[in-house]
Each structure stands twice: as C-alpha cells, then as structure tokens.
Amino acid sequence: MSRAGRLLGFAGLCALAVVVALAALRPAPVHRDTIYVFGTLVEIEIRGAPKTDARAAATRVGRLLREVHDDWHAWRPGGALSRLNAAIAEGRTTMVDPRLAAVLRRGRQLSRASGGLFDPAIGGLVALWGFHADTPPTGAPPAPDRIAAVLAKRPRMTDLSIEGLAVTSTNPAVQLDLGGFAKGAALDLAAAELRAMGIADAVLNAGGDVHVLGRHAGRRGGRTGGRPWRVAIRDPFMWGAVAAVSLRPGEGLYTSGNYERYFDHDGERFAHIIDPRTGRPVQEIVSVSVLDTDGARADAAATALSVADAGDWARVAAAMAVEAVLIITDQGQIWATEAMRDRLDPQIAATVRVFGQPHGPAFRPGPGPDAEGAQQAAAAGPNGARPDVALPTPAIQTPRGG
Ligand code: AMP
Ligand code: MG
C-alpha cells in the first residue's frame, strides 16, 4: 500500500475510534412506563435496551401486573381470589390457576415462618376495620365484641389446604387478603418476566417498594459504565428520606408503613396493619423496611416485623430468613440490623441503632450497649441520598414522643 493509502487507512481508524468513543459516551436509552395497580402507581424504568425491546418488555410486564392485580384483589368482586373467598365461606373447594396456587403456598409458608404475625387469612379483620375499600375508612373503630367474634374463629393461613390447584379451608372464617405480600410477589414475577425478555438493567417501583435488575446503566453499553440503583427509605414523619441504599443487582427494598392507609378517631390513629393476636391495628411501629433478593419474603417480613414486639424482631427476622431490616418506631427511633446498617448510605443524617444479629441473641429494647452503637452520620453530601426513584406520597404524622 502507498504511503498516502496507509495514512488514509490510519485516519479512517482514528475516525472510527472517535465514533465508537462518542457512542459509548451517549446516554443510555431509557424507557419509562407507569401503570396503576395495587392501589399505587407502578413505575417501570428500563435502561440500556433497544427501544423496541424495552417497549415490548414494559408492555408485557404491565399486562402481567394488571392480571395479577385483578386475580389477587381482596375485595373487588369477580377476581379469582374473591371467588375463592366466597367458596371458602361456603365450605366449597375451588380450582385456582397455577400462579394463584403458588402465591397461596408461598403465603402459607411465610405465615408459618413468621409465627402467624404475617397472616393473609385475616381478611375478615382487615375488612372489619374498613380497609377493604379504595379509600381509607372514616368514623369509629369496630366494636370490641365484633373483633372478638372474628378472633374466636381463629382464621389462620395454616387452615388452608392446597392440593395441586384445588384449594379449600377447614375453617370457613378464613378470608384471604394477599395485600401484605402481593406487591413483593408481583414484582418478583415482573422481574422474572423482564429477565426472560433479555432486559438487564431496570427498576420496578411500586409506590416505594422497589425491585431492581442489574444496574443504573448510565452510558450506552451500560453495564460496565453503570452504577448501582440508589433507593431512599422515606421518613415517615416528614417529607424526605431517612436513609438511602444502593441496591445490588436483583435486590428489592420493601417497606410497610402504618402511614400509608389509616384513619384517625378521637386523637388515635388506626392503620391498615393488623396484629392477628389482638385483631387491632399496630401502633408502635410506623415503618419497617426489608432488603432482600426475594420480594415476596421481604414484603411479608416487613409486615410481620411491623406486628412483632421489639423483643422478637431479631427472632422473627431470622425465622423468615431476612437479614437487612430497618425499623422506625412511633417515637422516631431508627433501629436496624447490622446487615442493614452496613448497607445504608454513609451520608445519612439520621441516628441508627443496631438491634442485634438476626442469628444471635434477641434484642431487648431500652438503653444498653446496643443503643450505644448508634451511627451519627455526617450531613448528606451532594449525591448523598438522592434516590433513582421518586419518594411516594408525603408522610404526614408526627412522632408520639414529640
Ligand atoms: P404491607 O404494606 O405490605 O404491610 O401490607 C399491608 C396490607 O396487608 C394491609 O392493607 C392488609 O391488606 C394486609 N394485612 C394487614 N395486616 C396483616 C397481617 N398481620 N398479615 C398479613 N397481611 C396483613
Ligand atoms: Mg408487606
């Protein structure tokens, strides 16, 4: 080749390198979609995938979530679960679809592990308190004798018999309400669907319950250039976050909060998480967040730990096989397992007390060496707690202690 030809070839190669470098710097394509299910706006964000693939995947996930929402709805008539509830009340056996059978099996197993603190069979109590409606109830709490009457019938998830697809209950007082883990179970299915469609980097945000795939791919070709998805744990007492967490690929962060659905009566707050032992709403715990790769387990554990007494937190977390837990009490105290504390963004401004090893001795509340392990962190830096997903609706309650 002539000298001029070689020079031309070299210049061509340089130009190609520049084009490739510029392409790598171009922002990754981002596809966003929202659908309204489970009483909340679910946001799907897919990064770094070709537009057509991303759109097709988001459409499939939207359809899946809508189906699950209709099938698992606890009070709207016409869905598979409401048919099953009607059959249980009449002592009949019902055939359900494989997806519902699987989620019921999972719910029964998680309920057992929680020692019955998480129990999707207490739909009768949830309804009695008025939470089987699209808007929170108004007026007075139910009369104590009506609560006692439901409790006396002892509806339990373990009353449920699931033989293949045939479901029945030995106890007609069982009324299934999957609300305590439906979002987690649904986002598990949605994440699996995205993966099956070749999506590597995405976030699913169901009103603050978040599940991620891969990373926040910031640049085209993303996975190497991306950073982890950052998610906030909201402050239940004021608008803002108490902490932020960087999620690893495949992880989810699920939060139960008694600020989500509640009513006030005579200066007392009654929220939608019910203690199956007393039949009454939980009051001392305002928020529980669980970080885990299994959404159904994390969601169920967040509900169970909202109900558990402080002395049982570590035991219940261990029994449900979740390690990273953060609990906010009505006094505004923040407690976390060591595994969770290690995952919190170091720039958080809140004080976090460690409540013990999930596999170690049970934590006893009150002052002591555990409480001394408080982490007083520096003020949030410029990138500190800025989350990749929007915080859900503003929190509107004040700590009881002040
Ligand atoms: P979550 O926000 O995940 O804690 O779910 C709360 C929802 O779960 C409520 O609105 C009820 O539908 C249902 N629920 C309330 N108390 C319990 C409980 N102890 N076990 C299981 N589900 C519950
Ligand atoms: Mg839950």
Side-chain angles (χ1 to χ4, degrees):
M1 196 189 288
S2 71
R3 188 177 147 76
R6 276 203 305 275
L7 268 176
L8 260 178
F10 180 66
L13 270 180
C14 286
L16 186 67
V18 168
V19 168
V20 168
L22 283 178
L25 282 175
R26 244 188 297 149
V30 180
H31 179 81
R32 291 193 186 89
D33 231 330
T34 54
I35 59 160
Y36 191 81
V37 282
F38 302 113
T40 192
L41 209 57
V42 179
E43 295 164 339
I44 306 164
E45 181 176 318
I46 297 171
R47 299 183 74 95
K51 252 193 173 68
T52 45
D53 295 3
R55 198 176 297 133
T59 303
R60 278 267 282 271
V61 164
R63 196 182 308 138
L64 166 77
L65 291 177
R66 250 178 238 111
E67 273 174 27
V68 164
H69 170 260
D70 291 344
D71 285 352
W72 299 356
H73 205 288
W75 66 86
R76 193 186 295 157
L81 191 74
S82 96
R83 279 198 298 277
L84 174 59
N85 274 335
I88 286 173
E90 294 165 11
R92 286 187 282 115
T93 300
T94 308
M95 299 301 289
V96 300
D97 65 273
R99 195 164 57 197
L100 181 52
V103 82
L104 291 174
R105 270 201 190 86
R106 195 76 209 287
R108 191 175 54 180
Q109 174 249 321
L110 289 164
S111 179
R112 232 183 237 132
S114 77
L117 300 178
F118 164 77
D119 196 334
I122 62 161
L125 285 169
V126 182
L128 190 60
W129 281 90
F131 291 108
H132 278 176
D134 289 330
T135 50
T138 51
D145 58 334
R146 295 182 65 200
I147 299 170
V150 180
L151 285 180
K153 295 179 191 154
R154 305 170 65 82
R156 300 279 184 274
M157 205 53 189
T158 44
D159 296 330
L160 210 61
S161 140
I162 311 162
E163 299 282 338
L165 302 179
V167 182
T168 185
S169 167
T170 51
N171 182 350
V174 164
Q175 287 292 286
L176 298 165
D177 173 341
L178 308 181
F181 79 133
K183 276 196 222 168
L187 294 195
D188 283 343
L189 293 175
E193 184 83 48
L194 287 176
R195 259 182 229 112
M197 292 193 72
I199 301 298
D201 302 301
V203 62
L204 295 152
N205 174 21
D209 285 336
V210 178
H211 212 102
V212 305
L213 264 74
R215 294 158 66 85
H216 182 283
R219 303 280 171 209
R220 193 180 283 281
R223 289 219 281 171
T224 45
R227 57 166 174 78
W229 290 102
R230 212 164 25 230
V231 178
I233 297 177
R234 65 175 284 195
D235 188 327
F237 302 111
M238 63 176 86
W239 174 242
V242 291
V245 180
S246 290
L247 294 183
R248 295 175 185 147
E251 282 185 337
L253 182 73
Y254 290 84
T255 300
S256 270
N258 78 1
Y259 50 81
E260 286 172 340
R261 281 162 68 73
Y262 63 83
F263 65 99
D264 291 315
H265 184 75
D266 276 352
E268 241 189 303
R269 172 149 303 174
F270 302 99
H272 68 144
I273 300 167
I274 311 283
D275 186 335
R277 300 165 297 184
T278 62
R280 296 178 58 82
V282 168
Q283 288 180 311
E284 289 78 19
I285 300 304
V286 294
S287 166
V288 177
S289 300
V290 178
L291 178 66
D292 201 275
T293 51
D294 185 319
R297 176 166 68 195
D299 196 353
T303 304
L305 288 161
S306 299
V307 177
D309 302 322
D312 292 332
W313 290 342
R315 194 182 51 74
V316 172
M320 297 190 80
V322 294
E323 299 203 335
V325 177
L326 184 138
I327 299 177
I328 305 178
T329 70
D330 65 342
Q331 306 295 313
Q333 289 185 341
I334 307 176
W335 294 91
T337 55
E338 202 160 18
M340 178 65 107
R341 199 224 21 218
D342 291 348
R343 296 293 304 278
L344 298 178
D345 193 312
Q347 287 162 314
I348 59 163
T351 298
V352 178
R353 300 150 201 252
V354 172
F355 73 79
Q357 306 291 330
H359 302 294
F363 153 78
R364 297 276 162 225
D370 276 336
E372 297 312 312
Q375 177 187 351
Q376 188 75 54
N383 295 318
R386 195 184 307 143
D388 288 318
V389 295
L391 285 168
T393 49
I396 34 170
Q397 63 178 65
T398 45
R400 263 213 229 145

